[in-house]
Amino acid sequence: MDSSRLPVPPGVDDRWQVSDRLGHQLIRVMRAMERAKAGKGVGPDGVERAAYVLLARLVLEGPRRSNALAESVHSDPSTVSRQVAGLVRAGLVERRPDPEDGRATLLAPTSEGLRVFEANRDRRNNQISEMTAHWAESDRHRLIELLERFAGDIEQRLAPSPTPPSAALRGQEAS
């Protein structure tokens, strides 16, 4: 359905209509991505696709503790722990002693993890390049700028708000 022809409730302004069209297009993109990944829960290396997000974060941002990794991908620590265990078993991530705290460990990509990350990134970039080959270079750059801006706004809006100091203290007192 052409989103410009969707019924419009009475009394809405142009900004609402533009947001409605944008929302419709975002849904189309998300559904297309879901269809493309359907049935592909495990990558060619036998690792869950969701775990690749963790591998990518470790490659791009460096070693970190499991809890910090979970926080950086806005995921539950137990889910991240399970996915990290799969990455470790696959030889893509290793646990290293934390130089700042000998009792803790840092997660870091292995050389095989770097190879797998690069192979996945190359595959993704080739697909995007093929899909946008007929676009003007300026349109591709403009899309990047707009998506970076939109992603930043989403992250800022949807990021969990920090716990107020008084609530954090009450939580400590209860332990």
Side-chain angles (χ1 to χ4, degrees), residues 22-83:
L22 176 59
H24 180 73
Q25 296 309 315
L26 288 171
I27 290 168
R28 283 183 63 202
V29 167
M30 288 187 293
R31 285 184 179 156
M33 297 296 289
E34 288 169 4
R35 280 192 309 272
K37 292 184 186 266
K40 298 179 183 174
V42 176
D45 298 291
V47 177
E48 290 182 50
R49 292 230 173 257
Y52 283 117
V53 172
L54 303 177
L55 177 61
R57 189 63 60 122
L58 292 171
V59 169
L60 297 171
E61 297 178 1
R64 59 191 53 219
R65 292 182 184 183
S66 184
N67 282 345
L69 181 60
E71 187 177 303
S72 72
V73 297
H74 309 288
S75 188
D76 182 72
S78 63
T79 301
V80 167
S81 179
R82 182 182 57 77
Q83 292 169 335

Side-chain angles (χ1 to χ4, degrees), residues 94-112:
E94 64 185 0
R95 298 183 198 287
R96 298 179 181 164
D98 184 339
E100 295 178 12
D101 181 353
R103 299 167 296 169
T105 59
L106 296 177
L107 301 167
T110 63
S111 58
E112 179 64 5

Side-chain angles (χ1 to χ4, degrees), residues 131-149:
M131 285 187 276
T132 61
H134 62 285
W135 290 28
E137 188 73 17
S138 60
D139 287 345
R140 288 193 296 268
H141 285 283
R142 183 72 179 136
L143 179 61
I144 293 166
E145 291 168 7
L146 293 171
L147 284 174
E148 285 173 344
R149 184 174 167 190

